[in-house]
Amino acid sequence: MTHPRLSRSTPAAPVGIVHLGPGAFFRAFNAVYTADAMARDGGDWGICAVSLRSPDARDQLTPQGGAYTAVSLGPDGPAPRVIQSVSEVLVAPEDPAAVLDRMTAPATRIVSLTITEKGYCHNPANGQLRRDHPDIVHDLANPAHPRSAPGFLVEALDRRRRAGTAPFTVLSCDNLPSNGHLARGVVLGFAQARDPDLADWIAQQVKFPATMVDRITPATTPEDIERLAAQTGYHDPACVWHEPFRQWVIEDDFTDNARPGWDAGGAQFVRDVSAFEAMKLRCLNGTHSALAYLGYLAGYQTISDSVADPDFAALCRKLWRDEILPTVPQPEGEDLAAYTDALLARYQNPSIRHRTWQIAMDGSQKLPQRILGPLAENLSAGRPVPGLALVVAAWMRYVGGVDEAGQPIDVRDPLADHLRAVSDGAADPAAKVAALLAVDQVFDPALAGHPAFREMVTRAYLGICQHGAAASVAGYIA
């Protein structure tokens, strides 16, 4: 049966936000909060969604006037809601001038980002801009035709400076520690390479509030699109599916205090986000990565499949209790034990088909923040880290590109080819661990050289190779 295409039912709001990276998470999160804010307060906070790479979002959303369906996957079944906060969609490689025009328009007061770790063009080990990144090299040579997020941000801010227009707020919404600080660092690094006076102006005038974001958002499948059409009677290739839970904690530091009333959807505006960031990044994202690598190697396709195994549920509990929570500062008003209990319940929701393979993507970018940070803090405090070392070992086995049945793994990572070559170039398991620890894009040399850490990872890697991931998890929780 052919269904009519979803279409917008209300006029598009004037654009006040430019958002870089209009993927599934943005549609399940930022745009929903903005719809809630405009439903309560009105305001000119329509979103211009900008894809820095693919035209897919434009091709899906523009025929629908920017409208799409966000489907909440609760225990009572899917609950669809049409979201109409996206006013236009641009594809940066096709028309960078149009993107810059929108970013420099005085009505644009916020530029928000969900560009994933690799979109910042930085070295995850130290957070600094990679001046040798191909997109950064291009953008420094061609400032009016940028490709990267830092290139677009700096060129647009420079144009606003020259025009005497107040700067926009740069709002990072990626799962990175101190994401506001990181965004500020790469923007200033890029601006300094262009013009020290511009860098000084940005440092003095531009706000980079930190955020903590949380909503599990599985990749949409063709079957999801068909299921929604059967339920609603319309076809929506831009639909997104997500868990009911959401949490957005935002440092309340915006240029001229110009921001939507995102608290209408439950957002928390606070003075300091760092403790919330650490809580989420280490408790949720850390165990997500643990389940992704160990679960994938053990043959589990989704997070809910993984934690249906009592050993893997116990893995999460033990990691939280012994190796993660000791490194998490107390966020104001949060009960950390209750938070982790709620996390496990969210993982166990069978309606959320969050694939271990999807979470395993870009591990070289994620591992330093999610796993290596708490690992190093525990080592400094003299606490053992056998569980986190096991996660590192599982990642090493995963990026080797062959699973426990001898089948190839489709490793999606900016360093995938390099990591595979490093692993393949070593003669035995211990040598593979040593060679991968020497990859300084991932491992800080001080941590990589820590004797106890090296010994634990090597032992864990040998255990995975000899006995498998499931048996290694069982050994850890015993």
Side-chain angles (χ1 to χ4, degrees), residues 13-18 38 42-46 102-112 157 160 165-171 206-207 209 253-260 262:
V15 170
I17 300 170
V18 171
M38 289 196 290
D44 298 342
W45 291 111
R102 181 56 81 185
M103 293 174 74
T104 54
T108 296
R109 288 151 287 170
I110 295 171
V111 175
S112 52
L157 286 168
R160 294 177 80 108
T165 305
F168 47 69
T169 297
V170 179
L171 187 69
V206 181
K207 306 286 191 180
D253 186 27
F254 289 75
T255 303
D256 297 329
N257 294 315
R259 56 170 173 78
W262 285 316

Side-chain angles (χ1 to χ4, degrees), residues 169-245:
T169 297
V170 179
L171 187 69
S172 171
C173 301
D174 283 294
N175 283 325
L176 294 162
S178 304
N179 53 15
H181 179 75
L182 173 64
R184 186 177 192 272
V186 297
V187 166
L188 288 177
F190 188 94
Q192 188 67 39
R194 272 188 51 173
D195 176 357
D197 289 340
L198 171 61
D200 289 344
W201 181 84
I202 291 173
Q204 294 168 13
Q205 300 294 327
V206 181
K207 306 286 191 180
F208 295 86
T211 67
M212 187 276 272
V213 301
D214 189 5
R215 172 167 262 181
I216 295 171
T217 308
T220 301
T221 67
E223 292 75 21
D224 291 331
I225 297 170
E226 292 176 8
R227 183 158 53 129
L228 179 64
Q231 181 179 354
T232 63
Y234 59 74
H235 176 65
D236 179 8
C239 68
V240 64
W241 299 64
H242 55 74
E243 66 172 332
F245 177 91

Side-chain angles (χ1 to χ4, degrees), residues 139-161:
D139 291 356
L140 288 171
N142 303 276
H145 299 88
R147 294 174 180 168
S148 70
F152 272 103
L153 290 166
V154 172
E155 176 64 14
L157 286 168
D158 188 34
R159 293 184 183 189
R160 294 177 80 108
R161 176 182 69 131

Side-chain angles (χ1 to χ4, degrees), residues 150-470:
F152 272 103
L153 290 166
V154 172
E155 176 64 14
L157 286 168
D158 188 34
R159 293 184 183 189
R160 294 177 80 108
R161 176 182 69 131
R162 293 175 184 276
T165 305
F168 47 69
T169 297
V170 179
L171 187 69
S172 171
C173 301
D174 283 294
N175 283 325
L176 294 162
S178 304
N179 53 15
H181 179 75
L182 173 64
R184 186 177 192 272
V186 297
V187 166
L188 288 177
F190 188 94
Q192 188 67 39
R194 272 188 51 173
D195 176 357
D197 289 340
L198 171 61
D200 289 344
W201 181 84
I202 291 173
Q204 294 168 13
Q205 300 294 327
V206 181
K207 306 286 191 180
F208 295 86
T211 67
M212 187 276 272
V213 301
D214 189 5
R215 172 167 262 181
I216 295 171
T217 308
T220 301
T221 67
E223 292 75 21
D224 291 331
I225 297 170
E226 292 176 8
R227 183 158 53 129
L228 179 64
Q231 181 179 354
T232 63
Y234 59 74
H235 176 65
D236 179 8
C239 68
V240 64
W241 299 64
H242 55 74
E243 66 172 332
F245 177 91
R246 59 176 173 174
Q247 186 177 18
W248 196 6
V249 184
I250 308 166
E251 181 185 358
D252 199 0
D253 186 27
F254 289 75
T255 303
D256 297 329
N257 294 315
R259 56 170 173 78
W262 285 316
D263 56 312
Q268 301 160 257
F269 289 101
V270 301
R271 285 180 295 176
D272 185 3
V273 175
S274 58
F276 292 92
E277 288 178 337
M279 175 187 74
K280 190 261 178 174
L281 191 71
R282 296 183 175 191
C283 294
L284 188 151
N285 298 124
T287 50
H288 252 181
S289 288
L291 294 170
Y293 299 115
L294 289 161
Y296 183 97
L297 293 172
Y300 295 122
Q301 291 193 3
T302 69
I303 293 296
S304 59
D305 291 342
S306 299
V307 294
D309 180 331
D311 284 354
F312 279 76
L315 165 73
C316 293
R317 294 190 189 96
K318 186 173 174 64
L319 281 172
W320 285 322
R321 184 188 69 233
D322 296 347
E323 303 184 36
I324 294 177
L325 286 180
T327 74
V328 176
Q330 176 64 49
E332 183 178 351
E334 288 283 351
D335 179 334
L336 289 171
Y339 178 77
T340 56
D341 287 345
L343 282 181
L344 190 57
R346 291 165 63 192
Y347 294 172
Q348 291 168 332
N349 181 354
S351 297
I352 300 293
R353 303 288 296 170
H354 206 173
R355 297 176 64 194
T356 51
W357 176 81
Q358 179 191 1
I359 298 166
M361 291 180 181
D362 302 332
S364 68
Q365 312 288 296
K366 296 172 179 175
L367 211 69
Q369 293 83 22
R370 299 182 176 193
I371 302 298
L372 302 183
L375 198 155
E377 289 180 27
N378 279 314
L379 288 173
S380 295
R383 293 187 293 262
V385 286
L388 294 174
L390 176 63
V391 178
V392 174
W395 171 79
M396 289 179 168
R397 178 63 186 256
Y398 183 90
V399 299
V402 180
D403 70 14
E404 294 180 2
Q407 297 301 307
I409 301 172
D410 180 9
V411 179
R412 301 289 181 92
D413 191 286
L415 299 180
D417 293 342
H418 177 60
L419 294 168
R420 177 67 183 269
V422 167
S423 181
D424 288 350
D428 57 59
K432 289 180 188 294
V433 170
L436 287 165
L437 286 175
V439 178
D440 61 6
Q441 297 101 312
V442 180
F443 296 97
D444 181 273
L447 175 62
H450 193 290
F453 172 60
R454 296 177 71 92
E455 193 274 333
M456 279 185 286
V457 175
T458 302
R459 185 168 65 243
Y461 187 89
L462 285 167
I464 292 173
C465 291
Q466 293 171 359
H467 307 296

